[in-house]
Amino acid sequence: MTSSTSGGGRTSMTSSTSCGGRTSMVSIPDIRYLKGVGPKRVGLLNRLGINTVEDLLYYLPRRYEDRSNFTLVRDLKIGEYQAVKGKILTQGAHITKRRINVFQIALADKTGIIYCVWFNQPFLKKFFKTGQELMVYGKVEKYVKLQINHPEYEFVKTGTGSLNIGKIVPIYSLTQDVSQQYLRFLAREAIERFLFSANERLPAYIRARRHLADIRFAIRNIHFPVSFENLDKAYKRIVFEEFFILQLALALKKKKVKTGAPGIRHKLDAGLIDSFKKLFPFELTQSQLKAINEIQIDMASPKPMNRLLEGDVGSGKTIVAIYALLLTAQNGYQASIMAPTEILAKQHYVNISELLMPLGVNIRLLVSGLKPAKRLEIENEIKSGETDVVIGTHALIWQGVKFKKLGLVVVDEQHKFGVTQRHVLRKKGLNPDVLVMTATPIPRTLALTIYGDLDISVIKELPKGRYPISTYCASEDKRESVYNFIREEVKKGRQAYIVYPKIWSGKKAGSTYEVEPVSSGLKAAAAMYNKLQTEVFPDLRLGLIHGRMLVKEKNDIMKKFKDKKIDILLSTTVIEVGIDVANASCMLIENAERFGLSQLHQLRGRIGRGAYPSYCILLGNPKTETAKKRFYTMSETQDGFEVAEQDLELRGPGEFFGTRQHGLPELRFGNILRDFEIMEQARAEAFQMVREDPYLRDPRNIFIRDTLKKRFAGKLELISVG
Ligand code: ADP
Ligand code: MG
């Protein structure tokens, strides 16, 4: 479904191979071969992404206007957009006192007269003649008489049928110098001359089973629907195909992992879970136990595990991962866990070492910035197999890191990594088991698309004994009392975070803490650090952490905070992921309107981890509707799934994960939220097709196979068909 670049009549939609006894040699040409497209227009159309006639056929309207019914003049409603059909009674132009040229026609039907008025378009005069039949569409107003200013108009012609009025009319996205009327005209041209060559790619048996229209019906009706019912059918059909191809790719990818070269068959030890439980002073939650069980079943199977573990912040995913690490080590394989930041990797290292070292598991931390000698030492131990568990950052995927027997790959906060990074790590073993974890709960809608090739475990409950977090929204005039509140918490023995959107405001400063304070309106962490320490909390111990510090500095600060040598930690979003300090019960987020919903939720997840009531305060001034909605959602719910659904709705799927590289498919037609039901159907069909015809060799599936190959050419390295 990609568009080919412009250039001499290049084929883009049709495959020109012949297969299964059916030949399709028709080519769909460059847009310039269409009537009404001169060299200048070609450029304009290209700007809209329309290079070929096929692109135009698939250039879907943004919305539609129902102009199919004409209203009689006597029934017109003032203020509404309506269509009128009548005969031109009079026409003429005059110049007003203010030197505006007014061209006016009187249009009459059998019930009355309406005036159509254009300003400063004297040339219109020569288009209209009295007695002509005319259709107009626009907002009806009443001054002295009924009037429409600058209506859309179209003459009643016999033969071709109307294009702009008297039917359900498509409204396209435009660019400068391209009008709706022109695009409608072109779309009709393209349909009339080239629709016959649009190839049906969906097998007939699937169309029949799912009651889907054929492609030619769909294209015709997506532009010029005869009824809204037909429009629905057309839309469903086009979106289904798009989703189907996506799901087919996922199904094949999943199959490839499952039926490709076998993975490792880890041996289970029935007693392991009991001794594992004894490592903790608390009980594992039902969700954790369930996830552990799902994981060990996967690990015991010869098929490589490819599982996503999702659970809200603080739900205890790490422990589940640790079990998997232990099981791997017990089987004589190596395991590695990759985290997005050094602070987090370090934290895992400390916690995991504490638990597993006593059991004789060798653990190493591999991060960037190590002295070469140290690094070499660690790499050698990994290579020789002496190290059982390697914990690290991106440094893990470096070339020099070679495992002797890598059996398990865990990726923590995996949405912070790109698809390729995960892939590279996995390739360091021979089909190792893979567990990816995320604290951004994935709405089901997205889970089926982004992670459609993974099995999913969900941790639904938070550990027992957690106090809920109360979240409040406050504006600037409450600053004083917010500070007092924090002071009270600290007096009770708790600790607090204050989060800022930036380290320093304004341009990048020359020396580290040079600040341009109020200019951008953002509270900069570094600037505020000095101010708070000297003016507001001179008696308390403040700390500052941000992304531009050296790793060692960051680690030292985090350690101090953990050891309760810092009362209030000022930070940027570096603390967003994974940091776990149970005594911190209070978080103030400054300029909270600057943060996205999921990010606010992630930040908030740093508190509420201990047996204390916790408080999150959003300080800020939400001006836009969506910002207000974010504040509202935060104060209303603590459920990560609800937050995620809401976030997805506010930002749309494209923004939800921030960047493209996280695997969100680029969709041209469908919307995975709105069209979720179609996605489910397409998924069911795609997975069934792969079950029944794993290599898509069935002649009925040939066209879809070709389409798939073209669509994903070189993009999904794991997909190979045929
Ligand atoms: P996340 O899912 O956000 O990665 P963590 O694994 O960091 O959560 O766990 C958060 C905190 O909860 C840790 O301090 C961990 O020791 C603790 N924890 C995990 N499971 C339980 C449990 N079942 N009961 C009590 N505390 C738990
Ligand atoms: Mg975690």
Short mmCIF file of all heavy atoms in Angstrom, two decimals, residues 317-318 348 412-413 578, ligand 2:
data_model
loop_
_atom_site.label_atom_id
_atom_site.label_comp_id
_atom_site.label_asym_id
_atom_site.label_seq_id
_atom_site.Cartn_x
_atom_site.Cartn_y
_atom_site.Cartn_z
N LYS A 317 7.07 -6.19 39.17
CA LYS A 317 7.49 -6.97 38.01
C LYS A 317 8.89 -7.54 38.21
O LYS A 317 9.20 -8.64 37.75
CB LYS A 317 7.47 -6.10 36.75
CG LYS A 317 6.09 -5.66 36.35
CD LYS A 317 6.10 -4.84 35.08
CE LYS A 317 6.75 -3.49 35.25
NZ LYS A 317 6.01 -2.57 36.14
N THR A 318 9.74 -6.76 38.89
CA THR A 318 11.14 -7.18 39.01
C THR A 318 11.26 -8.56 39.63
O THR A 318 12.06 -9.39 39.19
CB THR A 318 11.92 -6.15 39.87
OG1 THR A 318 11.57 -4.85 39.43
CG2 THR A 318 13.40 -6.36 39.73
N HIS A 348 18.78 -2.41 40.14
CA HIS A 348 18.53 -3.84 39.93
C HIS A 348 19.73 -4.66 40.42
O HIS A 348 19.57 -5.69 41.05
CB HIS A 348 18.32 -4.14 38.44
CG HIS A 348 16.93 -3.82 37.96
ND1 HIS A 348 15.81 -3.96 38.73
CD2 HIS A 348 16.49 -3.37 36.75
CE1 HIS A 348 14.74 -3.61 38.03
NE2 HIS A 348 15.13 -3.23 36.82
N ASP A 412 13.81 -4.54 30.65
CA ASP A 412 12.94 -3.82 31.59
C ASP A 412 12.54 -2.48 30.97
O ASP A 412 13.31 -1.87 30.25
CB ASP A 412 13.71 -3.57 32.90
CG ASP A 412 12.77 -3.11 34.01
OD1 ASP A 412 11.54 -3.26 33.86
OD2 ASP A 412 13.27 -2.60 35.03
N GLU A 413 11.35 -2.03 31.29
CA GLU A 413 10.84 -0.77 30.74
C GLU A 413 11.08 -0.76 29.24
O GLU A 413 11.67 0.17 28.68
CB GLU A 413 11.54 0.43 31.39
CG GLU A 413 11.51 0.44 32.90
CD GLU A 413 10.13 0.68 33.49
OE1 GLU A 413 9.21 1.03 32.73
OE2 GLU A 413 9.97 0.48 34.70
N GLY A 578 11.44 3.41 37.20
CA GLY A 578 12.01 2.36 38.03
C GLY A 578 12.52 2.68 39.43
O GLY A 578 12.68 1.77 40.22
MG MG B 2 10.46 -1.92 37.39
#
